[in-house]
Amino acid sequence: MADKKRRGEDAGDDRLHDEVVDDVADDDATDAEEPVSRGGTVTRSRAKADSADSKPKTKAETDRVGLFGRIARFIREVVAELRKVIWPTRKELLTYTAVVVAFVAVMLTIVAGLDFAFAKGVLWVFGNPS
């Protein structure tokens, strides 16, 4: 009898879990209309715009651009990307520079100390030839 009660309790728990899962599934159904963002900035309007742009291109649009045209396009794209950069202020630049110089000085000291120690150790192990 104790087994029947346990089985009955388990069955009741399963029904409870099924209801919770059904509620979650209902919530997912309402969210299915909205695009899921996975860290990007995809929106419905952008998705529609991308699908509209995916029509086949004409021969004139797919013709190869000359060397100077490609160089000019590259320079325009570089300038456009540089406009997006958030440049540091003078104070931030000096702080970052000081941090880098201090880090390099510490690493230089560690490497020089290890080099000196290993050089002395090798001379001690193999003896001084002079």
Side-chain angles (χ1 to χ4, degrees):
M1 266 215 148
D3 291 335
K4 288 183 180 179
K5 286 184 181 177
R6 287 185 184 162
R7 287 182 190 153
E9 289 173 3
D10 290 341
D13 289 342
D14 287 340
R15 279 184 246 130
L16 178 63
H17 292 299
D18 289 343
E19 291 173 4
V20 172
V21 171
D22 289 341
D23 290 342
V24 172
D26 291 340
D27 290 342
D28 289 341
T30 58
D31 292 339
E33 298 168 0
E34 297 177 11
V36 177
S37 176
R38 302 202 191 283
T41 57
V42 175
T43 61
R44 271 188 246 159
S45 60
R46 181 177 289 179
K48 289 178 184 176
D50 289 344
S51 65
D53 291 339
S54 64
K55 58 186 170 183
K57 297 185 188 263
T58 62
K59 186 175 181 182
E61 293 175 358
T62 59
D63 285 343
R64 294 215 39 165
V65 180
L67 177 66
F68 293 112
R70 286 184 288 178
I71 292 172
R73 178 178 164 201
F74 174 76
I75 292 172
R76 281 194 309 268
E77 289 177 3
V78 167
V79 170
E81 288 297 321
L82 286 175
R83 287 188 183 135
K84 296 177 188 176
V85 173
I86 299 173
W87 296 98
T89 63
R90 186 173 196 80
K91 184 179 179 182
E92 289 172 338
L93 186 64
L94 292 174
T95 302
Y96 298 154
T97 304
V99 168
V100 169
V101 169
F103 178 76
V104 169
V106 168
M107 293 307 293
L108 180 100
T109 304
I110 291 171
V111 170
L114 288 172
D115 182 49
F116 182 75
F118 282 120
K120 288 294 183 181
V122 167
L123 287 177
W124 179 76
V125 169
F126 295 109
N128 203 354
S130 53

